[in-house]
Amino acid sequence: MTELISPTPPVADARLPWDEAMADPIGAIAAARTQHGDTFVIEGARSPFLFLFSAVGVQSFYAVAESDASKGVADWQMLRRKLPPELFRDRRTFPHDLFARDDVVQYLDVVRSAITIACDELGDSGTLEVFDFTRRLGHRVGLGTWAGPCGTSTEFNELIDALDELDGAAAFVDPGAMAAVAASDYAAERAALATAEEIIGRAVDVRDADAHEHTDHFQRIVNTWSDAEPDARREGIARDVILVHLGSMSNLFSALGWLLVDVTTRPELAAAIRGGDHALAERCALESTRIAQRSIMLRAVLQPIEVDDGTQTWTVEPGVMLATLLPLTNLATEDLRAYDPERWNRRRIRDGRGGGDERELVTAFGHGAHTCPAQPFSLSVMTAVLEAMIDRYDLEPQFADASPRAAQIGGVARAAAPCPLMYARRSA
Ligand code: HEM
């Protein structure tokens, strides 16, 4: 299929993890880059992937127009490996709409109450597993924000079990498992979708019966369905909520987990944050996210385009997937492999530390038109949780080494092994 690209680029003798079981897909792509340089193709079962790693190539990747090479189509092609097609049909709310006129005060209230519930569940002392803890908390914060009454409902546990079963991120966290999903025709996913719809449907009834005037994210979703027939309205609201929530599950809880891992293993950072250095907490959130990024960034080519990589301009036809892979650029130098929150000046990387002329090569939340719309929300959640945990507890890591799961390609890393953290409530 390389005839879709001219001149013909180097073709790597490598596979992709959706087509063939692979223990270390990122290692395989790194090896292909060592052999072929910064631009090469890997043939996928459905399309050739044109990987771009040079500074100009990655700039071209981020600059391409959505109508020419689409992130939306690429995401859908990825997620449909795990999610039944009906979930994508007739959506009326997208994260962009929810976060467009963002109101930090509104969701910080939800975050604070989610943290209070999480701490009540922990009790005074014990040992938590970092990523289990942040996953549950991420569900509570997310559902409290865009599923209103669900965040506190008695069915909370049943709902998060269903959402964990549906989890679209499995398409890139556990790519080898997608063949079984296809073979079952989404049987487990469809059952989980029905459960989640039923529970969120009841939350719609609760909101309908509530005389207060709400303005939260859930209400914004409810309002977009005001003209629909009752059954379609309930289903539509539930599916909008589910798709937004699944989007949040891709990265937020795992980035929060790495933040807790990175700061609790560096007592000097924990002490400064406990002393009230809020800006440092946010720099740590950005740095932990940058280092833990495993994202494969994709754009599905829809129109013939020219892609300049600095050495060569490639003519690329529809059917090709443009790609770049954050762990290979974010961690390219010795300096970039080091954890250093001081490389960040507010939310930008300093020149000479991964910023500057080649800034597109390093990122936590993306570049250009598709930069994460939920970055302010995510950073607020991450810093609020970190500060609350450090304020309330003495925290002692019980793991020697926390490393990313090798089979994953995409999103923020999941941990290869459990990361137990001992906690003991500090006296007031
Ligand atoms: C720490 C948490 C998060 C990280 C590290 C993160 C990272 C990213 C990155 C790198 C991109 C750009 C991808 C690309 O250019 O191909 C992106 C886009 C996006 N993110 Fe996030 N994200 C996070 C949280 C969230 C949350 C909580 C939501 C939703 C509730 C969300 C929804 C989206 C959406 C919808 C886009 C696509 C925007 C577009 O196509 O224009 N993200 N995110």
Side-chain angles (χ1 to χ4, degrees), residues 107-368:
Y107 53 66
L108 274 185
D109 275 350
V110 175
V111 177
R112 279 194 205 101
S113 87
I115 293 171
T116 303
I117 297 171
C119 291
D120 288 348
E121 284 180 355
L122 286 181
D124 284 342
S125 63
T127 302
L128 58 83
E129 198 292 312
V130 170
F131 292 88
D132 286 348
F133 173 74
T134 59
R135 189 173 183 98
R136 187 171 172 80
L137 185 53
H139 277 307
R140 205 180 282 286
V141 169
L143 292 172
T145 305
W146 41 75
C150 286
T152 49
S153 76
T154 48
E155 297 121 325
F156 176 73
N157 287 324
E158 205 187 333
L159 178 56
I160 67 173
D161 284 350
L163 292 165
D164 282 342
E165 181 68 63
L166 261 179
D167 188 4
F172 48 82
V173 171
D174 195 7
M178 295 307 105
V181 175
S184 76
D185 193 24
Y186 307 102
E189 291 71 20
R190 287 199 160 112
L193 179 59
T195 303
E197 279 173 19
E198 181 50 37
I199 297 172
I200 298 168
R202 287 202 285 274
V204 176
D205 300 340
V206 170
R207 182 54 62 88
D208 286 346
D210 187 339
H212 288 94
E213 242 186 60
H214 290 275
T215 56
D216 59 5
H217 290 67
F218 182 56
Q219 193 62 43
R220 292 181 206 168
I221 297 176
V222 169
N223 291 346
T224 60
W225 288 89
S226 54
D227 62 336
E229 295 300 318
D231 285 351
R233 174 174 174 266
R234 240 166 160 262
E235 180 187 271
I237 295 168
R239 290 186 178 178
D240 276 5
V241 165
I242 290 166
L243 209 54
V244 169
H245 192 73
L246 295 178
S248 81
M249 286 167 63
S250 295
N251 293 317
L252 182 54
F253 89 87
S254 45
L256 178 54
W258 290 108
L259 177 62
L260 290 177
V261 164
D262 292 333
V263 173
T264 56
T265 49
R266 292 174 176 80
E268 68 292 356
L269 294 178
I273 291 167
R274 187 175 277 156
D277 193 341
H278 176 75
L280 174 62
E282 185 170 286
R283 289 198 295 279
C284 289
L286 287 158
E287 185 68 347
S288 291
T289 305
R290 176 188 74 81
I291 298 236
Q293 266 291 4
R294 313 294 278 174
S295 285
I296 183 164
M297 314 289 259
L298 298 170
R299 305 287 185 262
V301 177
L302 305 177
Q303 307 280 350
I305 50 169
E306 309 262 284
V307 178
D308 178 11
D309 70 6
T311 309
Q312 175 76 51
T313 297
W314 308 91
T315 303
V316 184
E317 300 291 328
V320 174
M321 193 68 91
L322 303 182
T324 190
L325 188 60
L326 294 192
L328 300 194
T329 51
N330 266 6
L331 306 173
T333 65
E334 204 179 321
D335 176 47
L336 287 169
R337 285 189 286 278
Y339 187 89
D340 182 7
E342 298 314 313
R343 87 174 63 252
W344 294 88
N345 178 17
R346 296 174 188 269
R347 292 179 183 174
R348 287 175 76 86
I349 300 190
R350 292 177 195 277
D351 292 358
R353 300 298 313 276
D357 291 347
E358 300 193 344
R359 68 174 60 254
E360 283 83 358
L361 289 178
V362 182
T363 191
F365 285 90
H367 292 287

